[in-house]
Amino acid sequence: MKGMKKITSLLLAGSMALTFCSCVKKSDGTDTKKNSEKIPEKSENVLKWCESDRFYLYGHEIIFGETTVQELYDITDCCEFWDMDETCTQRIFYTIDDLADIPSCWLYPSEEAKASQVAYAYIYIQRPEGYFHQNYPIKEGIIYGISFKPYTASFWGDNISFDVPFDMTPEELIKNSGEPNRCEYGMYGYNTCGKHLEDHTFEFDKYDRLVEFTITNMTW
């Protein structure tokens, strides 16, 4: 996989253990005291979910603002690149080698899902440095964010993971990440990068279940 750093199993396991530690239940209580002694040390380094700037795909780290479309495509070609026509009524589909200005991308868990257009994640792409309101090779675009629906996780299996837990509640989100800049109709928005618009949003249903989240990090 060109240009990508393979995450070692140790690092990935450590990251997942840190992120989802609240979901792990020990069957052997002999280490309870030892673990509890380490909680204060770990709590200082807990990642705020509203500050995550990456996700993990097939064991590879996708870093927003750094990873290119070509690097993503080298990991999996189960994606579709598209844009709307001038009338905004019809989609125009591209290949990775085509030129475009502001392309969109759907990422799928499998070829079967791609064929039926289900369980996709929406990938945000920004222009590479040196381009301004002009077409550029899509493969040179920079990944700067993703929107994901947790209910589609069963389609992905272990092939995708995030720094944010799918089973969080609004209360747990606020406890971890602080008060949001926007909170209405089940939508919690954070603009941690000092932008006017939220760069991280978390949407919950009426049962306080996380139904969709978006994490972005635009670098220009």
Side-chain angles (χ1 to χ4, degrees):
M1 308 300 178
K2 298 180 180 178
M4 295 299 300
K5 294 182 179 179
K6 185 87 174 187
I7 298 178
T8 64
S9 57
L10 179 61
L11 177 59
L12 182 57
S15 173
M16 294 300 293
L18 176 62
T19 305
F20 299 104
C21 60
S22 62
C23 303
V24 176
K25 295 182 180 179
K26 293 183 63 65
S27 58
D28 184 354
T30 57
D31 294 331
T32 302
K33 182 178 181 180
K34 182 178 179 181
N35 288 341
S36 64
E37 293 173 352
K38 293 183 178 181
I39 290 178
E41 179 182 351
K42 286 186 176 181
S43 64
E44 297 176 0
N45 300 315
V46 168
L47 173 70
K48 289 185 177 181
W49 300 328
C50 70
E51 294 180 352
S52 174
D53 64 351
R54 65 200 63 208
F55 70 101
Y56 310 94
L57 186 66
Y58 293 99
H60 294 266
E61 189 175 41
I62 308 298
I63 304 176
F64 302 142
E66 295 184 18
T67 302
T68 66
V69 173
Q70 182 65 65
E71 290 171 327
L72 176 72
Y73 198 77
D74 287 343
I75 297 171
T76 175
D77 60 359
C78 288
C79 22
E80 285 184 320
F81 306 101
W82 56 276
D83 195 1
M84 299 300 291
D85 63 11
E86 294 181 355
T87 64
C88 295
T89 58
Q90 201 168 15
R91 285 192 179 91
I92 303 171
F93 287 91
Y94 302 105
T95 70
I96 191 172
D97 295 311
D98 287 336
L99 302 178
D101 182 19
I102 310 177
S104 297
C105 176
W106 286 326
L107 179 67
Y108 295 94
S110 65
E111 288 293 342
E112 292 78 14
K114 181 178 178 182
S116 56
Q117 294 191 325
V118 297
Y120 64 82
Y122 185 91
I123 300 294
Y124 296 84
I125 304 172
Q126 71 182 40
R127 303 180 189 91
E129 188 175 355
Y131 290 89
F132 183 74
H133 289 298
Q134 63 187 103
N135 290 349
Y136 64 87
I138 293 177
K139 61 186 176 184
E140 296 180 12
I142 308 298
I143 306 299
Y144 80 88
I146 186 172
S147 287
F148 190 81
K149 296 178 174 62
Y151 72 82
T152 68
S154 60
F155 291 92
W156 293 86
D158 297 328
N159 297 325
I160 195 169
S161 59
F162 297 85
D163 291 327
V164 298
F166 297 161
D167 61 347
M168 73 165 76
T169 64
E171 291 76 15
E172 290 170 335
L173 172 62
I174 293 174
K175 183 178 180 180
N176 169 273
S177 299
E179 291 293 335
N181 301 97
R182 177 168 65 99
C183 177
E184 58 183 359
Y185 308 112
M187 184 77 73
Y188 294 70
Y190 293 82
N191 55 357
T192 56
C193 296
K195 303 171 184 175
H196 295 296
L197 299 176
E198 292 87 5
D199 47 50
H200 289 59
T201 59
F202 304 86
E203 183 179 354
F204 297 86
D205 64 12
K206 63 181 181 180
Y207 302 107
D208 287 344
R209 295 176 300 198
L210 183 66
V211 294
E212 185 172 3
F213 62 89
T214 298
I215 49 180
T216 61
N217 180 27
M218 183 175 284
T219 57
W220 54 263

